[in-house]
C-alpha cells in the first residue's frame, strides 16, 4: 500500500517535471529565400531557407544569428527560442512550435516581437 503511493507520487512528479529545453528553431515566412548564418561559439554555419522552410535543432546552448549577411548587430537566440523571419527581421514566436520538424510552419503569436540584437562578436 505504501509502495503504491510512493510509485504513484514518483510517476506524478516525473510527469510534472519540466522537460529539458528543446533547441531553437527558425521559420522563413518571407516570400523569398533568406541566407541565415548561425554562430555557435566561434564556428559560423550558413544555410539558405526557402519560403516557409524551417530549421530546428539549432542553438543548443545559445547562438548569434545573421540574416542575409547583415552588417547590423546579430540576433541572439537562447536554446529554446521559436522564431520566424518576416520582412528580413527575426521575430520571437513564443511557445509556438513548428508543426513539422525541419520543414514546419508555425504561426506567429499575437505578441511576436523582433529579437534584440546582441553585442557584436
Amino acid at each position: 500500500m505504501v509502495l503504491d503511493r510512493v510509485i504513484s507520487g514518483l510517476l506524478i512528479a516525473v510527469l510534472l517535471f519540466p522537460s529539458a529545453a528543446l533547441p531553437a528553431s527558425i521559420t522563413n515566412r518571407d516570400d523569398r529565400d533568406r541566407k541565415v548564418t548561425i554562430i555557435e561559439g566561434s564556428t559560423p554555419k550558413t544555410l539558405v531557407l526557402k519560403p516557409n522552410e524551417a530549421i530546428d535543432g539549432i542553438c543548443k546552448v545559445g547562438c548569434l544569428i545573421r540574416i542575409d549577411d547583415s552588417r547590423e548587430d546579430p540576433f541572439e537566440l537562447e536554446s529554446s527560442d521559436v522564431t520566424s523571419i518576416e520582412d528580413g527581421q527575426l521575430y520571437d514566436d513564443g511557445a509556438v512550435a513548428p508543426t513539422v520538424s525541419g520543414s514546419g510552419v508555425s504561426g506567429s503569436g499575437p505578441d511576436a516581437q523582433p529579437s534584440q540584437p546582441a553585442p557584436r562578436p
Side-chain angles (χ1 to χ4, degrees):
M1 181 95 56
V2 172
L3 183 57
D4 290 339
R5 289 184 190 177
V6 170
I7 291 174
S8 295
L10 285 173
L11 246 171
I12 291 170
V14 167
L15 292 174
L16 294 177
F17 189 80
S19 61
L22 299 173
S25 68
I26 301 173
T27 301
N28 181 9
R29 296 195 191 289
D30 283 345
D31 57 1
R32 67 181 194 90
D33 292 359
R34 291 290 183 179
K35 182 178 176 183
V36 177
T37 302
I38 304 162
I39 306 163
E40 287 190 83
S42 61
T43 306
K45 179 180 178 181
T46 301
L47 304 166
V48 175
L49 285 179
K50 304 260 183 230
N52 296 316
E53 184 177 16
I55 55 172
D56 49 37
I58 61 170
C59 305
K60 291 175 179 60
V61 178
C63 65
L64 300 176
I65 302 291
R66 287 193 188 276
I67 299 172
D68 294 333
D69 294 323
S70 172
R71 290 289 187 204
E72 296 178 19
D73 289 335
F75 297 99
E76 183 175 354
L77 291 186
E78 298 297 322
S79 62
S80 60
D81 287 345
V82 177
T83 60
S84 61
I85 300 169
E86 297 178 32
D87 297 321
Q89 295 292 314
L90 194 63
Y91 286 84
D92 182 0
D93 287 344
V96 180
T99 55
V100 178
S101 178
S103 63
V105 178
S106 60
S108 293
D111 300 323
Q113 298 293 320
S115 296
Q116 295 300 313
R120 291 182 188 251

